[in-house]
Amino acid sequence: MTYESLRFEIVGHVALVTLNRPPVNALSRKARAEVIAVFDEISAREDIRCAVLTGEGKTFCAGADLKDRPDADIPGDFLEHNRITRETGNAIRECSKPVIAAVNGAALGAGLGLMASCDIYYAAENATFGMPEINVGLAGGASMLNTLFGRSTMRRMFYTGVRLTAAELLERNVIEAVTSQDDLVPTAMAVAQEIAAKSPLAIRYAKQAMTIVEHMPQRDAYRMEQNYTMALAQTDDAKEARMAFLEKREPKFTGR
């Protein structure tokens, strides 16, 4: 499948998805639909085991394209727009493979939502993060900020539209590391390749478990994880992982 708003390439078992809608990679309806489609494709393909999401140019994603806002006078237009907005993040969050965000510049509004939907975060030194919805007469996004920040910081960001720097997010333990612009994608790809070298079944079970248990009570969540472990233990990959560990060799996974 070909895409107009993003680039999609595969390196080894890793998919590199690059938002490519200059100058700020704003999310139009078509761009959102393509983000959904590409992550659905990543979920379905057995040759892909991990993904990296980044942006072209100096901006990761400046959020929704305001020129593409729905028309309140057209029946159902807002409902359609809101539905595809939700599903854009869900396609990433529910992707069967881990997704690493390589935030190369500003991640604002819905762009910050894309990052929050990923599993692991890296950022370039020049990256900034904000939810400026209040500045353009919009509401929404508090749940995205809650995923990343504490109560007070979330509210300050939402009420004022203030941006935080990559260094501030690193200090708050929100992101894994801050790199130079040139090192950002290679760093994220290296981690993705490390994940891709693990049992694809184990990673898939782990991603499913973490997505489900994230907001569950701890007692119920751990029971759920034990059920995943029991199911995984019956696979050839799990048996191969144990044997390779005991025999001090590299495992050979078959995905079964």
Side-chain angles (χ1 to χ4, degrees), residues 225-247:
E225 291 181 83
Q226 287 179 317
N227 290 336
Y228 275 106
T229 298
M230 184 168 60
L232 182 61
Q234 300 175 43
T235 67
D236 292 342
D237 272 4
K239 297 170 186 176
E240 168 64 11
R242 288 194 296 274
M243 291 302 299
F245 179 81
L246 294 173
E247 295 171 2

Side-chain angles (χ1 to χ4, degrees), residues 19-205:
L19 302 173
N20 188 26
R21 194 165 181 265
V24 294
N25 300 323
L27 292 173
S28 63
R29 292 192 187 194
K30 184 169 186 177
R32 292 181 195 274
E34 291 193 346
V35 169
I36 293 170
V38 76
F39 279 98
D40 284 351
E41 180 176 347
I42 290 168
S43 286
R45 288 182 56 161
E46 293 185 359
D47 59 326
I48 299 174
R49 299 180 181 178
C50 193
V52 172
L53 174 64
T54 192
E56 180 62 40
K58 298 180 180 180
T59 302
F60 175 71
C61 177
D65 189 341
L66 291 181
K67 297 189 297 294
D68 199 36
R69 290 292 296 168
D71 188 339
D73 294 329
I74 299 178
D77 206 31
F78 259 102
L79 293 174
E80 178 189 359
H81 176 271
N82 291 346
R83 187 177 302 111
I84 196 171
T85 298
R86 292 193 301 272
E87 290 309 311
T88 305
N90 288 340
I92 299 172
R93 192 176 299 108
E94 297 171 4
C95 180
S96 65
K97 321 295 168 58
V99 183
I100 299 174
V103 184
N104 54 297
L108 306 175
L112 183 56
L114 290 182
M115 171 189 151
S117 300
C118 296
D119 296 282
I120 301 171
Y121 318 126
Y122 290 89
E125 295 164 331
N126 64 308
T128 57
F129 308 82
M131 187 65 70
E133 314 305 79
I134 202 76
N135 295 333
V136 289
L138 299 176
S143 61
M144 301 173 190
L145 294 184
N146 249 344
T147 302
L148 302 174
F149 307 105
R151 187 175 190 272
S152 177
T153 299
M154 182 271 282
R155 281 164 167 73
R156 179 171 65 91
M157 291 179 70
F158 199 85
Y159 293 150
T160 68
V162 67
R163 298 187 189 185
L164 299 184
T165 66
E168 288 175 304
L169 264 64
L170 182 63
E171 184 178 359
R172 296 167 183 266
N173 295 319
V174 173
I175 59 179
E176 285 291 295
V178 178
T179 74
S180 68
Q181 189 82 30
D182 291 341
D183 291 338
L184 177 64
V185 171
T187 297
M189 290 292 289
V191 176
Q193 294 289 2
E194 184 178 356
I195 293 171
K198 308 298 182 184
S199 161
L201 280 178
I203 294 296
R204 179 175 292 218
Y205 273 108

